[in-house]
Amino acid sequence: MGVIKDRHGTYCVRKTVPEKPKGLQAAVARELDNGKSAQKHLKRSLGTKSLREANIRAKPVLVEFDRIIARAKARLAESTAPLIKRTSLNDTEIKRMAEWVYAKALAWDERIRFGGRDEQARIRAEVKAERPWQMARPERGDQHPAFTLKNQRKSA
């Protein structure tokens, strides 16, 4: 039944996780979330030194082990299901995508027109918060000519 005695004389339940289907031992380890890459055996102490009491306590523990293995098998089955990759879009999907892009562009345009400079500053702050690396100022030699002209006018 899987009841064994450890070196201290306490009884434990031990169940071997099957190797097949492939990846089941790794799935059991993920199910237990114990940090191991694979779990070959499930083992739990029954907390008794009496064989009679150990046999009584072993049944619910073995049922729990069976549930863990069943959940791992289910997780493994859903992760190994073949994925169907699409290679094309139909006309309706293309039309909806184009409508979304157009609506988004109109919304941004309207936001800037009615919000004015305050809205532009707000947009810059949003972009800076989301992607600070894009808002970094270029090095002096890498500046755009328009910026260079402005800086030359200010210094003159």
Side-chain angles (χ1 to χ4, degrees):
M1 201 162 106
V3 177
I4 58 171
K5 192 185 263 190
D6 68 3
R7 61 190 171 113
H8 303 290
T10 306
Y11 285 96
C12 299
V13 175
R14 181 174 158 168
K15 182 169 181 123
T16 303
V17 178
E19 292 181 13
K20 293 184 181 178
K22 187 176 180 180
L24 180 61
Q25 292 177 346
V28 168
R30 282 192 304 273
E31 188 68 34
L32 294 173
D33 194 25
N34 59 7
K36 294 182 179 180
S37 61
Q39 185 75 38
K40 293 185 178 187
H41 301 284
L42 297 171
K43 183 177 177 181
R44 182 167 303 154
S45 174
L46 296 172
T48 184
K49 293 187 177 189
S50 165
L51 180 60
R52 183 174 179 275
E53 186 67 27
N55 284 329
I56 294 169
R57 292 182 185 182
K59 291 173 186 150
V61 175
L62 287 169
V63 169
E64 185 181 345
F65 288 169
D66 289 339
R67 284 188 189 135
I68 290 169
I69 292 172
R71 282 196 310 259
K73 280 183 181 178
R75 178 184 282 193
L76 187 63
E78 75 182 28
S79 69
T80 57
L83 298 174
I84 300 170
K85 294 183 180 180
R86 295 181 57 184
T87 57
S88 63
L89 299 171
N90 62 33
D91 291 337
T92 306
E93 291 169 328
I94 293 170
K95 185 178 177 185
R96 285 185 183 163
M97 286 179 183
E99 288 172 354
W100 183 85
V101 169
Y102 185 64
K104 193 77 171 174
L106 288 178
W108 274 95
D109 182 58
E110 188 173 335
R111 184 176 172 188
I112 291 173
R113 283 177 191 248
F114 289 110
R117 292 181 186 265
D118 295 336
E119 188 61 31
Q120 288 179 343
R122 208 173 301 124
I123 291 170
R124 279 195 200 99
E126 284 178 18
V127 170
K128 188 174 183 180
E130 290 175 10
R131 298 173 272 184
W133 63 89
Q134 288 184 344
M135 295 301 291
R137 290 188 159 252
E139 294 299 322
R140 193 101 172 119
D142 297 339
Q143 285 184 344
H144 190 273
F147 293 124
T148 309
L149 290 175
K150 247 190 224 179
N151 291 338
Q152 288 174 356
R153 285 185 202 143
K154 284 183 183 177
S155 62

